[in-house]
Amino acid sequence: MQATRERIARLQAEEARLLADAADIVRAREGERRVMGRSVVHDLALREVSSELGAVMRLSDRSVQARMSASSRLVGGFAETHRAFAEGRIDQAHAAAIVECGTGLLDDAVRAEYERILLEAAGFETPPRLRAIARVVAARIDPEMAAELQQRAAGERRIRVVDLGDGMARLLADLPAVLAYAIFDRLTQMAQIEQAAQRDATAEEEPVDAAAKGEPGTGAGAGAGTGTGAGAGAAAERAAAADGAAAAAADRAHADGVADGSAGSGIPRPDLSTGPCGEQRSLDELRADLFADLVLTGAPAAHGVGDTLAAIRAQVQITIPVLTAAGVGDEPALLAGYGPIDAETARRLAADAPGWDRVMYHPYSGLPLAVDRYRPTAHLQRFLRARDERCRFPGCTRSPIRCDIDHTHDHAKGGRTEDGNLAHFCPRHHTLKHASAWRVRQRGNGVLEWTSPTGRRYLDKPPATVQFVPSSVFTLYLDAEYTGGAPF
C-alpha cells in the first residue's frame, strides 16, 4: 500500500509540473501579444491553453485553470515541497495544505523556513492536522501577514444556502473561528442536556407502559402501596396525552395522505418540528434542531425550560502569549482545534475570562512544561489540555473538551496519575485502545507511540512541539553576548 501511494504521489507531482509548464506557456503567449501590440481579450491565451488541456483531461477549462494556478504556486514558490512530492515522501493533500497556508509568505528565506518545519511534520501528520499546524507556523513566522489575512477574511463574513434535494438544504455560515467553535460548543452542550432529559422521561414512562399492558407486579395497588400512586397517575396521564397526540398526528397524516394521493404508499412523512416528540434524535439532529430553534425564536423555546438551556455558555480554549495579552507583542493567539486568531479577539476573551492558566513552554522544543493553579487535579487537567490540544490518536482532531483523559498504563494495575501517564482520547479512540489490539505507550515529552494490530508503529507528537517557531526576541538573546546579568 505504501509503495503504491508513493507511485501515485510521484505521478501527481509530474502532472503538477506539466500544469505549471502550461502556466508558463500562457505567460509567454501573453508577453508575445503585448510586444506585438495586439489588443485582445486579456485572458485569451489562458483560455486557449486551458481549453485544449480540458479536452484531453475531460475537465472543464475553468477546472483546468484552477489546477494550473495551484500547480504554478507549488512548483514556482514551494520547490522543496514539490521535490518531496515528486519523491513520494508526501502526497497531494499534504502538498496542498503547505502551499495554501503559506501563499502569503513573500520573503524567500521565511518561506524556506516555513517549508522546512512543515515538511518535517508531514512525515507523521495527516493532511487535516498538517493544515492546522501550517496555519500556526505561518502566523508565527510572519505575524503581520497573518493579521492582515485575518482582517481581510473577516470582511467576507456571509450566510448562504445550498439546495440538497429531498426537502433539505444546507445553511453555511462563514464566521470568525472563535464564534463558529463557540456556537458549535454551546449547541453540543444543549443537545446533550436534551438527550439526558429525553432518557429520563422515557425511564419514567416505562413502568406506566408495563401497567397498561397488564404485566404482573405493576398495577395501581403496587403504586399505592409504595406511596407513588400520585406519580404513577401523573405519568399515566402523560402517557394517555401522548397516545392521544399520536392518534391525532396519525389522523392528520392520513388526511394529508389522501389529499396528496400518497395514502397507502408506506412512505413516512417527515416531521419538521424542532420540539421533543418522543423520537430518538441523534446528537447531530439535536444540534441542527436547536440551531434552528435559537435562530428563529431568539431563545431555545421549543426545547425544555428556556432558562436552563439559555444558561449554558460556550467554552473555547485560547492560548495567548503573555506579551500579546499585554498589547506589546505580536505573536498570534491560538484557538485549540483550529489555529491562530487575531490578537484583539484573544485579548477581549482573556479580559472576560473568570480565570487564567499560566502555561510555561520550553524555549527550544515548544513543549508545555507546567501549568500553575492551586488544586492539583484541576491543575493536571489544564496542563494536559494545554499539551494535547486534541485527541492523541494519529489523525484525530477532536478537541480535548470532548475527550476523555486516559491512563496509558492502567491505574488499576499501578499506573500513576501524572502527565507522563495521561493523554486525551476521544470516546471512539478510547474504546479502540481498550477493546482492540491497538497498543499505546508514552515515549516521554508528551510523545505517544501507537502500535497497530499488524505491528506497525506510529508516533503522535504534541501539536505545540510540531508547530513551534522560536521567538525572534528569544533568538536575539541567544545571539547576544552574556554579561553575567539577567537578559530581562
Side-chain angles (χ1 to χ4, degrees), residues 215-464:
E215 294 183 7
T218 58
T226 59
T228 58
E237 290 177 4
R238 289 196 299 271
D243 290 342
D251 292 341
R252 288 195 301 272
H254 177 72
D256 291 342
V258 172
D260 64 13
S262 63
S265 65
I267 302 175
R269 296 180 61 82
D271 183 358
L272 302 182
S273 171
T274 63
C277 303
E279 84 284 12
Q280 296 298 317
R281 287 176 287 178
S282 69
L283 199 60
D284 281 332
E285 290 175 306
L286 278 165
R287 270 193 290 251
D289 292 348
L290 283 160
F291 174 77
D293 199 6
L294 285 166
V295 172
L296 293 175
T297 68
H303 290 83
V305 181
D307 290 343
T308 302
L309 295 184
I312 295 175
R313 293 294 177 262
Q315 297 182 32
V316 292
Q317 178 180 324
I318 305 294
T319 302
I320 176 170
V322 63
L323 294 181
T324 302
V328 297
D330 58 3
E331 277 197 66
L334 304 180
L335 170 63
Y338 173 75
I341 61 172
D342 66 281
E344 184 57 34
T345 297
R347 280 192 284 266
R348 286 204 306 270
L349 290 171
D352 295 335
W356 298 359
D357 297 329
R358 186 175 65 175
V359 184
M360 278 70 75
Y361 291 92
H362 193 284
Y364 287 102
S365 68
L367 182 71
L369 296 176
V371 178
D372 60 349
R373 266 198 183 179
Y374 178 70
R375 294 184 301 173
T377 54
H379 164 101
L380 188 54
Q381 291 178 18
R382 285 189 288 270
F383 172 82
L384 292 169
R385 284 199 299 269
R387 184 194 71 184
D388 292 346
E389 294 189 21
R390 49 168 166 69
C391 169
R392 295 300 306 282
F393 185 83
C396 187
T397 58
R398 176 73 69 94
S399 167
I401 296 173
R402 304 288 172 227
C403 291
D404 306 322
I405 296 179
D406 174 75
H407 287 76
T408 305
H409 179 55
D410 195 342
H411 184 265
K413 298 179 180 179
R416 300 181 63 179
T417 303
E418 59 186 13
D419 62 283
N421 190 48
L422 297 172
H424 282 92
F425 300 140
C426 68
R428 177 184 180 88
H429 293 124
H430 196 174
T431 301
L432 185 75
K433 171 183 178 286
H434 290 285
S436 76
W438 279 90
R439 295 293 177 263
V440 62
R441 69 186 183 98
Q442 300 261 0
R443 293 285 299 271
N445 294 326
V447 177
L448 302 187
E449 181 183 78
W450 287 85
T451 303
S452 73
T454 61
R456 296 182 65 86
R457 289 183 171 85
Y458 304 90
L459 292 181
D460 188 78
K461 300 180 181 180

Side-chain angles (χ1 to χ4, degrees), residues 105-246:
L105 301 173
L106 304 180
D107 184 87
D108 291 341
V110 170
R111 190 164 58 245
E113 177 65 8
Y114 166 84
E115 278 192 281
R116 183 192 65 77
I117 296 172
L118 269 297
L119 287 174
E120 181 180 344
F124 53 85
E125 294 288 11
T126 61
R129 279 190 178 185
L130 185 68
R131 187 177 296 275
I133 292 168
R135 285 196 293 259
V136 175
V137 172
R140 284 179 168 168
I141 284 182
D142 193 344
E144 292 182 2
M145 178 274 299
E148 181 181 345
L149 292 178
Q150 289 170 2
Q151 185 176 5
R152 189 185 308 165
E156 298 177 357
R157 301 185 306 279
R158 59 174 177 160
I159 301 290
R160 57 197 185 279
V161 177
V162 178
D163 293 334
L164 298 178
D166 299 325
M168 299 290 286
R170 178 171 293 137
L171 181 66
L172 301 175
D174 294 342
L175 300 170
V178 170
L179 297 182
Y181 273 76
I183 290 170
F184 188 81
D185 179 78
R186 189 172 186 228
L187 289 172
T188 298
Q189 292 183 63
M190 289 181 169
Q192 289 171 338
I193 286 182
E194 187 70 14
Q195 274 189 331
Q198 182 63 43
R199 285 194 297 267
D200 293 344
T202 303
E204 288 179 5
E205 292 174 3
E206 282 178 353
V208 178
D209 293 340
K213 294 176 182 176
E215 294 183 7
T218 58
T226 59
T228 58
E237 290 177 4
R238 289 196 299 271
D243 290 342

